[in-house]
Structures are given as structure tokens and as C-alpha cells.
Amino acid sequence: IGTGLCLATGFANADTTEVNSDNASEFSSMISFGAMEERIEIEDSGGWYFVPQIGLSMIGDVTYPEGKFAINTTTDISFDNGLFFGVGIGFELGKNISLQLDVTTQKNDVNLDTNLIHTDTGGDWMISGHLEQTPVILNLIWRGGDGESVKPHLGVSIGSTYCDSSLTVTDDGVFRSSGGPYKFGDDGWNMSYGFTAGIGIDMSPTSNLYFNYRYLHVDYDDEPLDVHNVGIGISFRF
């Protein structure tokens, strides 16, 4: 029954004619899956795909110059790791090249362990808060591993990142202000560029599981940030 269904749907082909010395045809049970392989090649050769993504967002430490947050000294700020969520939509230009637009959102808390001597009051101020970023990035991606179920990929990325930083400042433990002029950079859109790399694993002719790393350099006015995202996604072709 299973063999009959495969043959009826075109999932497989059977070689059915063999002629013996008595001119009698004999049935051969040999089955070929060439039709299925051809369909996979056609579906892999181009088209739109959709990629939901999730993963870990990491930001490199940054040093702000004298006068930005503290008197006569630079300020070292680090960020806690956070999560990112996003979606990508792409188009396969050919068998190995695709364009993919990614939109992600990520949030990282500030990690500042020492007090600062503020430029205006000379008092001990503490800064806490978080940095929210929304990168909108276009990637040109090359994929290798023709004919293999595991395919590496490598790409270049360029776009813009929307910044929304929210800082809380305290003076000797007393609430002082929230937000205000104390930002990591100008809230708004900032030039971003970098690269992406990873591997994809075929799950079906129209879906793949991806493990991906993306480095993004966000060019803020005060000090640029280096953002590292390590995530997982599933692409669906349609």
C-alpha cells in the first residue's frame, strides 16, 4: 500500500519493464526517489522565506570620556547580558545567495559598580538603568554545503539601530532624576554595520533550523557600542 501511494503521488518512480528471452515482460520492484530529489532542488533554488529568531544579546564594555558622567575621570560601564527577539524575511537570489532583512529588539541592563563624582554638584552619584535597541539590518548572505543537510553561512550586515536609553541617577542614595540628559547616545536611529555567520540544518524541503552569530557595530555619537547576538531560528520557505 505504501509503495502504491508513493508511486501514485509521484514521491517515487518504479522501473517496471524488463523483457526476457521469451518476450515476456517482468515487473521490477526497484524504486527510485529521483522525483523527490528534483523537487527539493527546485524549492531550494529561489523564493521567499520567513525566520523567527531568539537568543542572547551581549554588549562590549565601553569607556566614556571625562565630563560625560564624572569629573576629571573616564567612566567604565558594562552591560548585563539580555535576550533578543526578532524576525527576518528574505529572498533567495540564487542557490547560494540571499538577501535577508532582520528586525530585532533587545534590552540590556547597566552594570556600574562604582560611584561617580558628578560634573555639576561634586557629590557621589550612582547611575542605573537599561539600554533598549531595535536594529533594522539588511544582510547579504552566502550559503555553502550544496547537497548536504548541514550548510554553513556567512554574510555582511548594514542598517540602522534605534536607541532608547533610560537611566536613573541617585545622589548619595537619594532619588535625583530619571532619564533627562543622561543617555548613552542620542535616542533615535544610529548607523550600524557588521557581519553574521552560522550553520543551517535541513528539517524538511521547506524548513531549516539555524544557529547564528551576529556582530553589530552601532555608531553612537558619544561612544560606539559593539553588540554580539548568539541565537537560534527556524526558516520557512513559501
Side-chain angles (χ1 to χ4, degrees):
I1 295 174
T3 302
L5 289 174
C6 290
L7 297 174
T9 58
F11 182 81
N13 296 326
D15 297 326
T16 60
T17 57
E18 287 186 4
V19 180
N20 59 22
S21 59
D22 297 327
N23 292 325
S25 296
E26 293 181 353
F27 179 78
S28 171
S29 61
M30 294 180 61
I31 296 177
S32 168
F33 290 89
M36 177 184 177
E37 293 168 358
E38 290 175 4
R39 284 205 301 274
I40 293 176
E41 288 297 321
I42 292 172
E43 292 180 8
D44 283 344
S45 63
W48 293 93
Y49 62 91
F50 173 75
V51 190
Q53 309 166 37
I54 186 173
L56 183 67
S57 171
M58 300 165 283
I59 301 178
D61 297 347
V62 62
T63 299
Y64 287 94
E66 298 178 7
K68 170 65 177 179
F69 292 111
I71 294 176
N72 299 325
T73 184
T74 58
T75 304
D76 296 324
I77 291 181
S78 60
F79 300 86
D80 292 334
N81 296 335
L83 291 177
F84 79 85
F85 305 90
V87 295
I89 186 167
F91 183 78
E92 296 173 337
L93 302 175
K95 192 172 182 180
N96 299 102
I97 300 293
S98 62
L99 277 176
Q100 180 175 318
L101 180 67
D102 289 330
V103 180
T104 58
T105 180
Q106 50 206 56
K107 179 179 176 180
N108 300 82
D109 292 331
V110 178
N111 186 1
L112 182 64
D113 296 330
T114 59
N115 290 346
L116 302 176
I117 306 300
H118 192 261
T119 54
D120 294 335
T121 67
D124 290 343
W125 283 39
M126 280 295 295
I127 298 176
S128 60
H130 63 266
L131 173 65
E132 293 186 32
Q133 299 179 97
T134 304
V136 179
I137 304 298
L138 183 65
N139 308 279
L140 179 64
I141 300 174
W142 169 86
R143 290 183 173 85
D146 289 347
E148 303 293 333
S149 59
V150 178
K151 299 178 175 65
H153 63 265
L154 182 66
V156 293
S157 309
I158 190 169
S160 187
T161 298
Y162 186 82
C163 171
D164 182 12
S165 57
S166 177
L167 303 182
T168 299
V169 181
T170 58
D171 186 356
D172 294 326
V174 179
F175 176 78
R176 184 80 180 200
S177 66
S178 176
Y182 305 105
K183 301 285 187 179
F184 295 106
D186 292 337
D187 282 357
W189 294 100
N190 303 268
M191 181 69 178
S192 307
Y193 54 88
F195 67 90
T196 183
I199 60 171
I201 302 174
D202 290 345
M203 299 175 60
S204 76
T206 57
S207 64
N208 300 81
L209 177 66
Y210 282 102
F211 298 92
N212 191 67
Y213 165 77
R214 185 180 73 187
Y215 164 76
L216 208 59
H217 181 86
V218 185
D219 196 15
Y220 292 119
D221 289 340
D222 292 331
E223 290 294 326
L225 295 181
D226 295 319
V227 182
H228 308 267
N229 285 357
V230 179
I232 186 173
I234 300 178
S235 74
F236 302 94
R237 288 190 288 278
F238 54 91

